[in-house]
Amino acid sequence: MLFFTQCFGAVLDLIHLRFQHYKAKRVFSAAGQLVCVVNPTHSLKYAPTRCAAAQASTEQGTLPPCHHHEAVHDSQLVPCTCPLFSCPWEGHLEVVVSHLRQTHRINILQGAEIVFLATDMHLPAPTDWIIMHSCLGHQFLLVLRKQEKYEGHPQFFATMMLIGTPTQANNFTYRLELNRNQRRLKWEATPRSILECVDSVISDGDCLVLNTSLAQLFSDNGSLAIGIAITTSKVHSSEAEM
């Protein structure tokens, strides 16, 4: 009976996932956009992380490791950039994508424009939805987090990080768009480098921020669809033409 119950539960989860994917494809297929259904993961990293240690070092007047990232070279090791876990891994920037895919099982989707469909938005904070986006010869990390910035008032934070240096990140512009029930909300900005710490970006509010009521307004049966588009920045394009 236990075996049957577990198998039956797995089948139900698969049916639910396929149903969510079907709904998303039905809505966005007309626009020719790829859809990726992303299930939530409760963050396991709320032990002190490298980013938290860096912030503590700043408060104590010492130079944090994150401040050295602007001068990162190929021979320098960087910590794991996955915002979900306190991962002790270190490696070169060029193998961060392989580490995220193989160790943390983060999916990657290719295409100029994709739809990030986050399921189960009702789950309590802290919860994360994460995917990698391969576009224009680079890899980006999209992080959607449900977090209580103020006690009893959860908010949703969405940001796009380039798996590269800050100088490379300045060459791109990303757009996050919510569109439902004749309402549209759009956020456009330059992505931050993954070396700058996802936690810091969210804490600073330099991202798309939704309160619970606004998220519910754009959600459909507990799922939130976010359209993603990445382009080269105007400054970078004009320099290329010259």
Side-chain angles (χ1 to χ4, degrees):
M1 286 296 295
L2 179 62
F3 176 77
F4 174 78
T5 302
Q6 291 177 340
C7 291
F8 184 69
V11 171
L12 286 180
D13 291 341
L14 180 60
I15 293 175
H16 174 71
L17 182 64
R18 294 295 298 174
F19 177 68
Q20 294 286 351
H21 189 266
Y22 169 76
K23 289 200 306 178
K25 288 186 67 176
R26 184 183 60 188
V27 173
F28 295 102
S29 60
Q33 295 175 307
L34 297 174
V35 177
C36 184
V37 179
V38 184
N39 293 320
T41 302
H42 285 285
S43 182
L44 304 176
K45 67 163 185 147
Y46 287 94
T49 62
R50 284 182 175 82
C51 290
Q55 293 172 355
S57 299
T58 304
E59 295 173 357
Q60 296 172 4
T62 59
L63 186 62
C66 285
H67 284 198
H68 291 289
H69 287 324
E70 184 66 34
V72 167
H73 301 288
D74 292 344
S75 60
Q76 188 171 353
L77 298 179
V78 296
C80 175
T81 55
C82 183
L84 286 175
F85 306 97
S86 295
C87 179
W89 179 88
E90 288 185 336
H92 297 297
L93 186 60
E94 292 79 6
V95 295
V96 168
V97 173
S98 298
H99 170 73
L100 293 177
R101 296 195 67 183
Q102 296 174 8
T103 303
H104 300 298
R105 305 298 181 187
I106 297 180
N107 293 326
I108 186 167
L109 197 64
Q110 298 183 1
E113 295 187 9
I114 65 174
V115 175
F116 178 97
L117 184 65
T119 66
D120 301 321
M121 302 293 295
H122 61 278
L123 291 178
T127 304
D128 294 287
W129 294 260
I130 298 178
I131 192 175
M132 284 192 291
H133 181 191
S134 179
C135 182
L136 300 175
H138 289 77
Q139 283 72 42
F140 300 82
L141 189 70
L142 177 68
V143 179
L144 173 65
R145 177 173 300 170
K146 185 177 184 180
Q147 180 175 307
E148 288 189 356
K149 198 165 186 179
Y150 306 101
E151 186 175 357
H153 298 280
Q155 293 177 300
F156 293 89
F157 303 86
T159 186
M160 181 74 76
M161 311 286 289
L162 172 72
I163 303 179
T165 65
T167 301
Q168 292 174 320
N170 287 333
N171 295 328
F172 299 96
T173 299
Y174 76 95
R175 184 180 74 246
L176 304 179
E177 184 173 327
L178 305 176
N179 190 352
R180 185 172 181 269
N181 293 335
Q182 298 181 339
R183 297 177 178 87
R184 178 174 296 180
L185 181 63
K186 185 183 300 184
W187 167 269
E188 187 171 287
T190 299
R192 302 280 285 274
S193 167
I194 198 69
L195 302 176
E196 299 181 47
C197 299
V198 176
D199 290 346
S200 299
V201 176
I202 292 177
S203 298
D204 295 341
D206 186 17
C207 55
L208 174 64
V209 182
L210 304 172
N211 58 31
T212 304
S213 59
L214 193 58
Q216 290 176 348
L217 189 64
F218 285 97
S219 65
D220 181 18
N221 291 327
S223 297
L224 186 67
I226 304 177
I228 307 170
I230 301 175
T231 58
T232 54
S233 64
K234 295 180 180 179
V235 175
H236 179 65
S237 299
S238 61
E239 290 178 352
E241 292 175 359
M242 294 177 63

